[in-house]
Amino acid sequence: MIKKTPSSRKTEVTDSGYDARQAPVNAKLGRDEKIEFFRDMLRIRRFEERCLRSYQGGKIGGFLHLYIGQESVAVGCVSVMGGDDHIITAYRDHGHGLAVGMGMNEMMAENYGKYTGCSKGKGGSMHYFDPSRHYWGGHGIVGGQVPLGTGIAYALKYKGIKGACLTFMGDGAVNQGAVHESYNLAALWDLPVVYIIENNGYSMGTSQERSSAGESLAGRAAGYGMNWSIVENGHDVYEVRDKVSKALKLAHDQCKPSVLEIRTYRYRGHSVADPDSTYRDKSEIEEYKSTKDPIMLYQNALVAEGVLTDEIIKKIDDSARAEAETSAQFAEQSPYPTLEDIKKDVYWEVDNPQDKKSVGNLFFD
Amino acid sequence: MPVITYREALRHAMDEELNRDPNVVIMGEEVGQFHGAYKVTEGLLAKYGPKRIVDTPISEAGFLGMGIGSAMLGLRPVMELMFFSFYSVAFDQIFNNAANIRYMSGGLINCPIVIRGPANGGTNVGATHSHTPESIAAYHPGIKVVVPSTPYDAKGLLKSAIRDNDPVMFMENTILYGEMGEVPTEEYLVPLGSAKVMREGKDISIIGHGRAIQMALKSADMLKEKHNINAEVVDLRSIRPLDEATILASVKKTNRVLLVEEAKPFCSVSAMLACIIQEKAFDYLDAPIRRVTSMDAPAIYSPPLEKEQLPTPQKIFDAALAVLK
């Protein structure tokens, strides 16, 4: 179902016979690309399952916000990004990291708080970054990254780069003021940003009905005269690709922002240590797993197409498990940051003493 | 040397940096078409156009956060807060995002942003518009805090702040905007983190920043006239980085210290200075350190009372005599 905004800036026309597989962005996909999407989703799942074991073994501190169940969203979105596009998300950031091409080793090591981690053990699971792959994090405060994504889009437009910033948030973020302020600025100034609400139904332990007024979360964009639409089947990597590529085209060709709400589901607690039983039944999770699991459904589709065979699936799965296991060993064997490292990466000029212009003390201990 | 206002000095700094670096963008409420709520950015829109001089909605968390995001991608936004007091509306963006992004990314991302605007009391605008948050800002590693007290420093420090690769909170003063001072026509920079001895003396060190320094200079005149006391006045100019060397040299020379600031006394810059001085120059002190700050309550509106709530030259004069007793 695709909704129309009441504003003059219309979204695409509803088509009851919609088949995401036939969308231009998907119709031409070759065998290798399809296998790649499958592999990427499975790698995310196996990586996170391995993270969970390490967490339960006391190797990972703090929080662990798992993406299991939502893999089709990150993989689908990233797969349609062009070379000048950028991406930023909140704290459930492992899937996006792997999707943009970060390595399991640097990610797992970051979770372990090791110096070989992507942020040298300074950020942790919620704060992955890889600007070389246009991935700007990994942000811990609900909604706090949304103005940043808007600013990245602003800078792209300012520099005359025909790219956009995919700015992710969860369904809980839509009630934060910073998100609405960002919507207003993006619509006011025609910024090339695609806001993506990954709606997994729960902001921590509070359901959408108990936290957000109105019928749809994306529909709030209409108040800003912004295009919006909903990906009802967020478990379908093809539907995700189709809708996101259209939103990106709008950003690239017309420099217009839009909001996409992608309906998805997480299988684990908000963070894995959080209890699930206070706000949903196990049966709800089982129901989704058995009918809408994005990896299972895609696997079935590709088997039916003759793209995947049991043999290929096993090979991909074994490889993903082995890669995850290797990353845990890598993290285990890596050194922790040193006490000296605590005060590095605070100020640019302290880390670049040859170009230091200021004088005086920057630290006070 | 031309004599210009503090306001003009700030404008010249932005003008020169806009001219020098195409990545510099001025953003804020009323900075363009309205010429700036305090006319600091007057004329810049006409000269540089709406791409470089951007009027924002009243939306501090949104536009400051947007500026931070754009700085991550290499722009050098200079964001005006109409009143620095409004920083609190964007607190999360400034102190979670700008201050931490370099650290949490293990040094992969920089944030060369300047957040500037007037941070002062004394203008009868009540508690919400009279915050002086130097210590709150400087509390955060990753942030730099600069407070110029003269036109010369306003220009030289702002140019340095715009070229700095770390986030700088640049706190001005509406009461100082009209103050005149000599500012050279040729280009110069004042490095962040260098204090300035505004007046040399041997009997007591009066150390502070911002408008309190202008008051301290008046007090020093009074001390000289009435008691033949030679007070040394040290303007910090920058809170973080902090010029400990100049502070400690003055303390070791005069052996007596009076700290002055417009902010509240608890957890303030002067509280931190007192800690540093007793740690590093305890043996040189001949008397307890004293402070003159704002009275410890929200800023009162009532005009005659607000004057009394804030430091005055008389209060600084009296406190200096108490230190010298």
Side-chain angles (χ1 to χ4, degrees):
Chain A
M1 179 177 64
I2 300 149
K3 304 212 173 177
K4 286 165 81 174
T5 154
S7 86
S8 57
R9 303 176 181 188
K10 286 182 182 170
T11 58
E12 65 211 274
V13 177
T14 302
D15 178 359
S16 56
Y18 177 66
D19 179 356
R21 285 175 305 175
Q22 301 307 320
V25 72
N26 295 321
K28 290 177 295 190
L29 284 172
R31 183 177 176 278
D32 290 349
E33 288 165 297
K34 291 175 181 175
I35 291 178
E36 215 46 49
F37 300 154
F38 175 73
R39 186 197 316 277
D40 283 349
M41 288 197 279
L42 199 56
R43 283 176 69 236
I44 294 171
R45 182 156 305 181
R46 296 303 179 229
F47 174 76
E48 293 209 303
E49 286 168 349
R50 189 62 187 82
C51 288
L52 179 59
R53 274 171 46 214
S54 293
Y55 189 82
Q56 288 163 340
K59 300 289 186 183
I60 298 175
F63 301 131
L64 185 68
H65 304 95
L66 295 182
Y67 198 62
I68 294 175
Q70 303 183 208
E71 296 90 341
S72 49
V73 181
V75 170
C77 290
V78 171
S79 71
V80 293
M81 282 171 66
D84 287 326
D85 293 324
H86 293 249
I87 175 172
I88 188 168
T89 190
Y91 43 80
R92 202 175 302 284
D93 61 352
H94 306 163
H96 308 74
L98 280 174
V100 300
M102 291 176 75
M104 285 192 194
N105 282 4
E106 54 179 320
M107 289 169 47
M108 189 66 88
E110 187 61 32
N111 292 355
Y112 275 56
K114 298 298 183 78
Y115 189 71
T116 52
C118 49
S119 296
K120 303 178 188 166
K122 294 179 172 181
S125 155
M126 298 191 284
H127 307 114
Y128 288 178
F129 297 88
D130 190 346
S132 74
R133 293 186 164 84
H134 294 184
Y135 184 34
W136 298 93
H139 293 267
I141 302 295
V142 171
Q145 78 284 3
V146 177
L148 301 183
T150 310
I152 288 163
Y154 184 90
L156 288 170
K157 184 174 182 180
Y158 184 90
K159 293 179 173 194
I161 297 169
K162 206 176 163 186
C165 188
L166 298 183
T167 302
F168 286 79
M169 69 192 97
D171 46 298
V174 300
N175 299 315
Q176 289 278 34
V179 172
H180 288 267
E181 294 189 33
S182 299
Y183 284 0
N184 182 54
L185 294 169
L188 189 66
W189 293 337
D190 286 335
L191 301 181
V193 57
V194 181
Y195 297 107
I196 296 176
I197 304 164
E198 290 193 68
N199 184 354
N200 63 24
Y202 298 95
S203 53
M204 197 166 168
T206 304
S207 65
Q208 184 181 330
E209 302 78 66
R210 292 176 61 229
S211 59
S212 297
E215 277 184 24
S216 87
L217 304 182
R220 295 179 182 187
Y224 300 96
M226 228 187 323
N227 289 278
W228 61 280
S229 68
I230 294 174
V231 178
E232 288 285 356
N233 302 301
H235 54 273
D236 178 1
V237 71
Y238 289 155
E239 186 171 334
V240 172
R241 280 171 51 82
D242 181 29
K243 302 282 173 60
V244 177
S245 64
K246 285 173 179 159
L248 274 172
K249 191 166 164 39
L250 189 69
H252 292 159
D253 295 351
Q254 297 177 50
C255 218
K256 294 282 187 195
S258 56
V259 177
L260 266 183
E261 176 183 345
I262 302 180
R263 303 254 164 94
T264 181
Y265 196 74
R266 69 167 148 79
Y267 298 174
R268 294 284 169 173
H270 164 69
S271 173
V272 295
D274 295 321
D276 253 349
S277 55
T278 57
Y279 61 94
R280 60 179 178 179
D281 288 334
K282 272 214 167 75
S283 60
E284 181 184 297
I285 305 171
E286 292 310 319
E287 161 81 12
Y288 195 95
K289 271 188 190 174
S290 61
T291 59
K292 290 184 176 172
D293 183 81
I295 299 177
M296 177 193 73
L297 290 181
Y298 195 49
Q299 178 179 307
N300 292 347
L302 294 186
V303 168
E305 263 186 63
V307 170
L308 285 180
T309 62
D310 286 351
E311 194 184 350
I312 300 171
I313 294 166
K314 184 172 186 315
K315 203 172 152 193
I316 291 172
D317 195 17
D318 287 350
S319 164
R321 286 174 192 274
E323 190 186 0
E325 188 53 40
T326 303
S327 75
Q329 286 168 19
F330 172 81
E332 183 72 41
Q333 288 157 11
S334 289
Y336 285 106
T338 63
L339 277 178
E340 288 72 40
D341 291 321
I342 289 178
K343 285 164 72 172
K344 291 177 185 164
D345 305 313
V346 179
Y347 290 102
W348 180 89
E349 21 170 50
V350 173
D351 304 327
N352 296 274
Q354 70 285 359
D355 295 316
K356 188 170 186 285
K357 298 285 195 307
S358 82
V359 294
N361 301 50
L362 275 163
F363 294 106
F364 296 89
D365 47 7
Chain B
M1 204 183 292
V3 174
I4 63 172
T5 61
Y6 184 102
R7 171 188 287 112
E8 288 166 323
L10 292 165
R11 185 186 307 145
H12 292 179
M14 285 186 269
D15 189 356
E16 288 177 16
E17 294 307 302
L18 280 160
N19 195 42
R20 193 183 71 87
D21 182 350
N23 285 322
V24 173
V25 189
I26 311 292
M27 284 190 207
E29 294 153 9
E30 312 291 4
V31 296
Q33 202 174 306
F34 196 86
H35 303 306
Y38 287 98
K39 307 296 176 221
V40 175
T41 52
E42 188 167 25
L44 295 179
L45 176 64
K47 188 164 177 185
Y48 293 99
K51 184 181 175 190
R52 311 284 305 279
I53 313 297
V54 183
D55 280 322
T56 67
I58 299 173
S59 184
E60 285 85 4
F63 78 74
L64 270 170
M66 199 195 75
I68 294 162
S70 74
M72 288 158 56
L73 212 67
L75 298 196
R76 288 187 177 272
V78 180
M79 318 291 291
E80 176 171 307
L81 285 168
M82 187 185 294
F83 286 82
F84 219 103
S85 291
F86 305 158
Y87 83 110
S88 56
V89 183
F91 205 96
D92 178 57
Q93 293 302 319
I94 300 168
F95 296 113
N96 267 323
N97 289 342
N100 290 342
I101 192 79
R102 178 172 174 78
Y103 198 69
M104 293 203 309
S105 66
L108 293 174
I109 299 172
N110 301 329
C111 187
I113 191 171
V114 175
I115 300 168
R116 53 157 287 272
N120 59 281
T123 57
N124 322 139
V125 289
T128 55
H129 286 57
S130 302
H131 289 285
T132 45
E134 301 92 303
S135 65
I136 294 169
Y139 174 80
H140 295 84
I143 294 282
K144 293 173 178 171
V145 181
V146 179
V147 190
S149 74
T150 66
Y152 179 90
D153 289 341
K155 181 175 177 188
L157 287 167
L158 184 53
K159 283 169 66 78
S160 290
I162 294 171
R163 296 183 194 188
D164 202 284
N165 286 332
D166 296 311
V168 181
M169 297 179 79
F170 193 94
M171 302 191 188
E172 302 159 8
N173 192 306
T174 54
I175 296 172
L176 295 180
Y177 278 149
E179 288 290 310
M180 310 287 286
E182 288 190 336
V183 174
T185 40
E186 59 274 18
E187 177 164 75
Y188 68 97
L189 296 166
V190 175
L192 309 190
S194 74
K196 186 175 184 179
V197 177
M198 303 290 282
R199 174 189 173 117
E200 293 207 31
K202 60 177 175 44
D203 299 325
I204 182 170
S205 298
I206 306 178
I207 304 169
H209 62 274
R211 192 165 72 97
I213 285 300
Q214 302 300 338
M215 297 178 189
L217 289 169
K218 289 189 182 115
S219 313
D221 287 343
M222 291 157 64
L223 289 164
K224 179 68 182 170
E225 281 164 26
K226 296 184 179 168
H227 299 281
N228 197 32
I229 291 164
N230 291 303
E232 178 147 299
V233 177
V234 179
D235 182 358
L236 300 174
R237 300 199 288 189
S238 165
I239 309 301
R240 188 169 187 152
L242 182 71
D243 187 351
E244 285 190 10
T246 298
I247 295 165
L248 295 172
S250 181
V251 172
K252 289 174 183 177
K253 177 174 148 190
T254 66
N255 311 117
R256 292 171 192 271
V257 180
L258 175 64
L259 304 172
V260 296
E261 64 178 324
E262 253 195 73
K264 308 287 186 280
F266 192 76
C267 299
S268 69
V269 172
S270 62
M272 183 69 197
L273 288 183
C275 174
I276 291 170
I277 292 167
Q278 65 81 26
E279 268 178 15
K280 299 187 176 174
F282 184 75
D283 289 341
Y284 293 87
L285 291 174
D286 287 345
I289 299 168
R290 293 182 84 102
R291 299 190 292 158
V292 176
T293 67
S294 168
M295 287 169 65
D296 200 8
I300 193 168
Y301 158 68
S302 181
L305 270 296
E306 192 190 13
K307 273 201 181 72
E308 292 307 314
Q309 184 174 11
L310 289 164
T312 60
Q314 185 63 45
K315 287 186 192 178
I316 297 169
F317 173 85
D318 293 343
L321 290 182
V323 174
L324 284 156
K325 226 178 224 171

